[in-house]
Amino acid sequence: MWTPLRASIAWAGGHALTRTEGERRGALAASVGANLILNAAWKWLFYGRRSPRAGLVGTLLLDLSNIELIQRTARVDTAGARALLPYAGWCAFATALNMAIAKRHSS
C-alpha cells in the first residue's frame, strides 16, 4: 500500500512545487518535508519506543500535517491536493488502528 501512496505524495509535491514561486514555494516545500518527517517518525515512536501512545501522538500530528499540506497544496494546485487525499485517508485509518491498540494496552 505504501508504494502507491508515496508515489502520490512525490507526484503531488512535485506537481504543486512546479506551480509555486517565492515564499509560497519555500513554505510548501517545508510543509512536504515536515509531513514526510512525521510519517517516518511514527515507526520509531510506535515500534522503536514500543509505545502505542507515542505512536498515537505521532499519527495525530501526521493527520494535522496532512490537513495543512492538502490545504496549502490546494491553494496552488487542485490536482496535487486531490492526489494527497488517499494518503490522508490511509493515515486516518492508521490513526484509528493505533488508537485501538493504545486503548488495549492501557487496560
Side-chain angles (χ1 to χ4, degrees):
M1 187 70 202
W2 276 106
T3 300
L5 290 175
R6 286 196 175 105
S8 70
I9 297 166
W11 182 86
H15 200 257
L17 284 168
T18 62
R19 286 157 174 71
T20 311
E21 294 180 355
E23 288 183 24
R24 290 179 93 181
R25 185 175 189 174
L28 178 58
S31 183
V32 171
N35 187 275
L36 293 174
I37 289 169
L38 287 168
N39 185 305
W42 177 84
K43 184 177 179 180
W44 178 80
L45 291 168
F46 188 88
Y47 293 109
R49 292 192 60 202
R50 295 185 176 179
S51 174
R53 284 186 182 192
L56 181 58
V57 170
T59 195
L60 288 168
L61 291 172
L62 180 58
D63 290 337
L64 292 173
S65 175
N66 286 336
I67 293 166
E68 188 273 337
L69 178 59
I70 290 168
Q71 289 174 341
R72 186 178 298 278
T73 302
R75 288 184 206 123
V76 294
D77 183 15
T78 56
R82 280 190 299 240
L84 291 169
L85 293 175
Y87 167 60
W90 182 258
C91 290
F93 174 69
T95 299
L97 288 175
N98 197 145
M99 191 177 300
I101 292 168
K103 197 174 196 180
R104 283 187 172 184
H105 281 230
S106 67
S107 344

